[in-house]
Amino acid sequence: VNTKPFSSAFPHSNLLRWNHSSTKSNWIAQRLYEHSGKHTMASDNTSQALPAPPSPSRTFYRRTLPSSLTSFSSIEGKEIFASAMSTGGTSAFFSLIEQLQTQPEPAYCGLTTLVIILNALAVDPRRKWKGPWRWYEESMLNCCIDLDVAKETG
């Protein structure tokens, strides 16, 4: 295992070390909210405060990662990734990360994973996605199970 600190493996990693303090996170959330078009501007050209988030009993935002797992964006996660980079252990990472996308439905974890892999492997779907582009997306994978059933059962 590479024992070099992350900063020596990636000397230009200042952006990767950005501290996600609540002040910075709140600032980003405020900017995203301002640009969403779903707000009003106060007369002094400053935005109004963000509305309170929905009650946790009715919504789901994030879960705390179990202590047995390492967050990719943590210092330890970055060091593990740097070690893998230095030893050639990331050969598949870049073709996969180029295709990374958020699953469009909560139950589509398997379908979205398959879409990412098929596109990373450059498997031609032999039909159009949008315009002239041939690209996999979840709605193309309805050959084995109806997508409405997949939405309900996963």
Side-chain angles (χ1 to χ4, degrees), residues 92 95-96 99 115-123:
S95 61
L96 287 167
Q99 307 306 325
V115 164
I116 292 168
I117 292 168
L118 289 169
N119 287 327
L121 292 172
V123 176

Coordinates of all heavy atoms in Angstrom, one line a residue, residues 92 95-96 99 115-123:
A92 N -10.2 0.6 -14.7 CA -11.5 0.7 -15.1 C -12.3 2.0 -14.6 O -13.3 2.3 -15.1 CB -12.3 -0.5 -14.6
S95 N -13.2 5.0 -17.3 CA -14.2 4.7 -18.3 C -15.6 4.6 -17.6 O -16.6 5.0 -18.2 CB -14.0 3.5 -19.1 OG -13.9 2.3 -18.3
L96 N -15.6 4.2 -16.4 CA -16.9 4.2 -15.6 C -17.3 5.5 -15.1 O -18.5 5.9 -15.3 CB -16.7 3.2 -14.4 CG -16.7 1.7 -14.7 CD1 -16.3 0.9 -13.5 CD2 -18.0 1.3 -15.2
Q99 N -19.2 7.8 -17.4 CA -20.6 7.4 -17.6 C -21.5 7.6 -16.4 O -22.7 7.3 -16.5 CB -20.7 6.0 -18.1 CG -19.9 5.7 -19.3 CD -20.1 6.6 -20.5 OE1 -21.2 7.0 -20.7 NE2 -19.0 6.9 -21.2
V115 N -26.7 0.4 -17.2 CA -26.6 1.5 -18.2 C -25.2 2.0 -18.1 O -24.5 2.2 -19.2 CB -27.6 2.6 -18.0 CG1 -27.3 3.9 -18.7 CG2 -29.0 2.1 -18.4
I116 N -24.7 2.3 -16.9 CA -23.3 2.9 -16.8 C -22.3 1.9 -17.4 O -21.4 2.3 -18.1 CB -23.0 3.2 -15.3 CG1 -23.9 4.3 -14.8 CG2 -21.5 3.4 -15.1 CD1 -23.9 4.5 -13.3
I117 N -22.4 0.6 -17.0 CA -21.5 -0.4 -17.5 C -21.6 -0.6 -19.0 O -20.5 -0.6 -19.7 CB -21.7 -1.7 -16.8 CG1 -21.4 -1.6 -15.3 CG2 -20.9 -2.9 -17.4 CD1 -21.8 -2.7 -14.4
L118 N -22.8 -0.7 -19.6 CA -22.9 -0.8 -21.0 C -22.3 0.3 -21.8 O -21.6 0.2 -22.8 CB -24.4 -1.0 -21.4 CG -25.0 -2.3 -21.0 CD1 -26.5 -2.3 -21.2 CD2 -24.4 -3.5 -21.8
N119 N -22.5 1.6 -21.3 CA -22.0 2.7 -22.0 C -20.5 2.8 -21.8 O -19.7 3.2 -22.7 CB -22.6 4.0 -21.5 CG -24.0 4.2 -22.0 OD1 -24.3 3.7 -23.1 ND2 -24.9 4.7 -21.2
A120 N -19.9 2.4 -20.6 CA -18.5 2.4 -20.3 C -17.8 1.4 -21.2 O -16.7 1.6 -21.7 CB -18.2 2.1 -18.9
L121 N -18.4 0.3 -21.5 CA -17.8 -0.8 -22.3 C -18.0 -0.5 -23.8 O -17.6 -1.2 -24.7 CB -18.4 -2.1 -22.0 CG -18.1 -2.7 -20.6 CD1 -18.9 -4.0 -20.4 CD2 -16.6 -3.0 -20.6
A122 N -18.7 0.7 -24.1 CA -19.0 1.1 -25.5 C -19.8 0.0 -26.3 O -19.5 -0.2 -27.5 CB -17.7 1.5 -26.2
V123 N -20.8 -0.6 -25.6 CA -21.6 -1.5 -26.3 C -22.7 -0.7 -27.0 O -23.4 0.1 -26.5 CB -22.3 -2.5 -25.3 CG1 -23.3 -3.4 -25.9 CG2 -21.3 -3.3 -24.5

